[in-house]
Amino acid sequence: MAGYKKRYKLWFESGETMNNTLVEYINGIEVIKAFNQSASSFEKYRNAVLKYRDFTLAWYKASWPFNAAYAAVLPAVLVAALPFGLKFYMDGSIELSSLIVSLILSLGLIPPLMKLIEFTDNLAVIAQTEQKVHELLVAEEMSYPEKDAELDRLDIRLSNVSFTYDKKPVLKKMNLQMKEKTTTALVGASGSGKSTITKLIARFRDVTDGEITIGGCRVQNIPQEQLSALVSSVSQDIYLFDMSIAENIRIGNPLASDDQVKRAAELAGCNEFISRFKSGYDTMVGDAGDRLSGGEKQRIAIARAILKDSPIILLDEATASIDAENEYKIQQSINSLTRNKTLVIVAHRLSTIIHADNIVVIDDGEISAQGRHDELLDTSPVYKKMWDAHIDAGKWSIGSGAVSPGQNIGKQGNNYA
């Protein structure tokens, strides 16, 4: 038992590292094979296993001689009790009944005592597990009011909003107003804080400082069910449950009829791939939707949002995984989805947001500029640089050199209304 607490903590951590490395290896197996990194990646997992093995064996070698001695000596109680008991009986110091009772008690006392000693190992397991669970239980829980908030309008306002993640500032004293029934586009470099804004509006997280209001009411003062009914979110990271396609779409509105589900799927351009499946809308999508492509999963997510029909729509590059053939159809469905609604869209392809009512340029967690497309081209060097890079990307193709200026850009830009 010497140093047991410290040793067990290290053993627990080495086992956790081994399990995490295994999960990482399995999840990334396609990338590992594609880039011929099988040997190095497996070596990382192998080293984690060997570290766990070596630590465990070293601990066993240090403790098992004592454990073996204890396991051998304690059950051998009769080796001492029987000869000494017989000697006491023959000397007349105890009676035969006392000898028999002593022998029976000695045999019955040791097994519970050994079980008690072995249970100390379980106490260490409980202590380590309890610490992990305790970290979750003491985390601050989001609180929601019970009474619905009274909202006259659906303007969204960020007032001096700051957000820090892992001690790293993501948003810095941001002030922004998104008017009701208008389209606000958030653009900027990766990691600038665009997606964070949408998550804070939906209250997936709480702001570190400042406040976000919808219709003049802080999102913290809006009940969860009411806020969920107000906001629909479609992100790049789509998660589908291991249910049928129809059931995954119906998550947007559990009371929707089959006809409403099919109508939403049609607007989102899902019919093209659903018709290929033998079971149609009853097709199971698999674990996390692994039987569908990225674009197909994204279209189902858009169908969910269409079916939910919320007044506020948050789109985090909702067409990122959709092929060019279906992009126009889905842009049209998004137009139907967002008509007369408050739309906040995170965009990487600037051609999809040139008609937005307000384009907000985010640079390192701060608003660099905002306005309409034509205004920003004249007033914002950051936006002008992004637009020029977007145009250059449209001129470039693999193996065929440059194409004429504006090719593949103009039509794409007109798709968004």
Side-chain angles (χ1 to χ4, degrees):
M1 301 298 293
Y4 187 92
K5 185 175 181 180
K6 180 179 179 180
R7 285 181 173 181
Y8 191 83
K9 180 180 180 181
L10 294 174
W11 177 81
F12 194 91
E13 290 175 352
S14 63
E16 190 175 30
T17 300
M18 178 182 67
N19 293 333
N20 292 339
T21 306
L22 173 60
V23 172
E24 179 186 46
Y25 180 74
I26 293 175
N27 288 341
I29 194 67
E30 292 185 2
V31 177
I32 291 170
K33 288 184 175 181
F35 290 93
N36 196 26
Q37 296 296 314
S38 299
S40 60
S41 297
F42 184 78
E43 185 68 18
K44 180 181 178 181
Y45 170 63
R46 181 175 180 273
N47 290 337
V49 174
L50 292 179
K51 181 180 179 181
Y52 175 78
R53 181 203 66 180
D54 293 343
F55 185 87
T56 303
L57 287 178
W59 190 8
Y60 283 177
K61 288 178 181 179
S63 61
W64 270 95
F66 301 100
N67 195 34
Y70 128 82
V73 172
L74 282 185
V77 63
L78 286 180
V79 174
L82 182 59
F84 280 101
L86 288 174
K87 182 179 185 303
F88 295 150
Y89 171 70
M90 293 176 66
D91 291 344
S93 58
I94 62 171
E95 297 178 357
L96 179 60
S97 59
S98 298
L99 172 61
I100 294 173
V101 170
S102 297
L103 293 177
I104 292 174
L105 287 176
S106 66
L107 291 173
L109 178 64
I110 295 305
L113 182 61
M114 295 182 69
K115 287 291 184 182
L116 180 62
I117 295 174
E118 291 169 2
F119 187 69
T120 58
D121 185 59
N122 293 333
L123 291 177
V125 175
I126 292 171
Q128 288 294 326
T129 306
E130 188 275 338
Q131 182 180 352
K132 295 287 184 181
V133 174
H134 181 71
E135 292 175 359
L136 294 176
L137 294 179
V138 299
E140 186 176 354
E141 184 178 358
M142 284 185 174
S143 61
Y144 293 89
E146 296 181 359
K147 185 179 179 181
D148 283 357
E150 296 183 3
L151 307 175
D152 295 331
R153 297 176 57 81
L154 293 179
D155 292 348
I156 302 172
R157 181 184 293 273
L158 280 67
S159 302
N160 292 318
V161 168
S162 297
F163 180 74
T164 301
Y165 184 76
D166 283 345
K167 299 181 180 180
K168 178 183 178 182
V170 180
L171 300 179
K172 308 168 186 175
K173 297 290 183 181
M174 182 173 290
N175 291 283
L176 176 63
Q177 182 175 6
M178 308 174 193
K179 295 183 179 180
E180 182 183 27
K181 296 182 180 180
T182 63
T183 297
T184 301
L186 306 176
V187 301
S190 297
S192 59
K194 306 183 299 297
S195 297
T196 300
I197 294 175
T198 62
K199 289 179 172 60
L200 293 176
I201 293 173
R203 210 191 169 197
F204 295 150
R205 295 180 179 273
D206 273 336
V207 298
T208 305
D209 194 17
E211 66 176 20
I212 296 178
T213 61
I214 297 178
C217 181
R218 297 176 70 238
V219 291
Q220 288 88 345
N221 296 333
I222 302 176
Q224 184 177 12
E225 289 187 5
Q226 184 183 11
L227 183 60
S228 178
L230 287 173
V231 178
S232 286
S233 178
V234 181
S235 67
Q236 296 184 66
D237 302 321
I238 305 300
Y239 186 88
L240 300 184
F241 296 93
D242 191 9
M243 303 186 298
S244 68
I245 292 175
E247 288 173 315
N248 270 286
I249 295 175
R250 191 174 272 113
I251 289 174
N253 181 3
L255 301 178
S257 65
D258 290 342
D259 289 339
Q260 289 174 317
V261 170
K262 291 179 180 179
R263 175 60 178 164
E266 289 174 3
L267 289 174
C270 297
N271 276 357
E272 177 267 327
F273 68 87
I274 292 178
S275 61
R276 297 200 308 263
F277 297 121
K278 183 178 179 180
S279 301
Y281 283 85
D282 294 325
T283 302
M284 303 298 289
V285 302
D287 186 21
D290 60 2
R291 295 180 184 175
L292 303 178
S293 69
E296 290 168 348
K297 289 191 288 186
Q298 218 155 21
R299 277 180 272 179
I300 289 178
I302 293 174
R304 276 181 188 169
I306 292 174
L307 192 63
K308 187 175 179 181
D309 196 28
S310 297
I312 297 175
I313 311 293
L314 308 177
L315 299 180
D316 188 354
E317 194 56 50
T319 60
S321 299
I322 295 172
D323 55 85
E325 181 180 352
N326 289 291
E327 182 178 2
Y328 177 75
K329 297 178 182 178
I330 294 179
Q331 288 289 2
Q332 294 302 313
S333 68
I334 289 177
N335 291 341
S336 300
L337 167 67
T338 59
R339 187 174 291 116
N340 294 323
K341 296 182 180 180
T342 306
L343 172 62
V344 181
I345 180 170
V346 175
H348 297 96
R349 286 184 290 200
L350 299 186
S351 56
T352 62
I353 50 91
I354 59 175
H355 297 296
D357 298 296
N358 189 28
I359 300 174
V360 182
V361 183
I362 311 295
D363 187 18
D364 193 25
E366 299 178 311
I367 296 179
S368 171
Q370 59 180 311
R372 297 186 68 87
H373 172 71
D374 293 337
E375 298 171 355
L376 291 175
L377 287 177
D378 296 330
T379 61
S380 173
V382 175
Y383 185 79
K384 181 67 165 59
K385 183 178 179 181
M386 293 172 59
W387 179 254
D388 290 341
H390 174 72
I391 295 296
D392 290 341
K395 297 176 183 178
W396 183 85
S397 60
I398 296 177
S400 60
V403 297
S404 59
Q407 186 176 343
N408 299 328
I409 296 297
K411 180 181 178 181
Q412 200 174 30
N414 292 328
N415 286 342
Y416 189 89

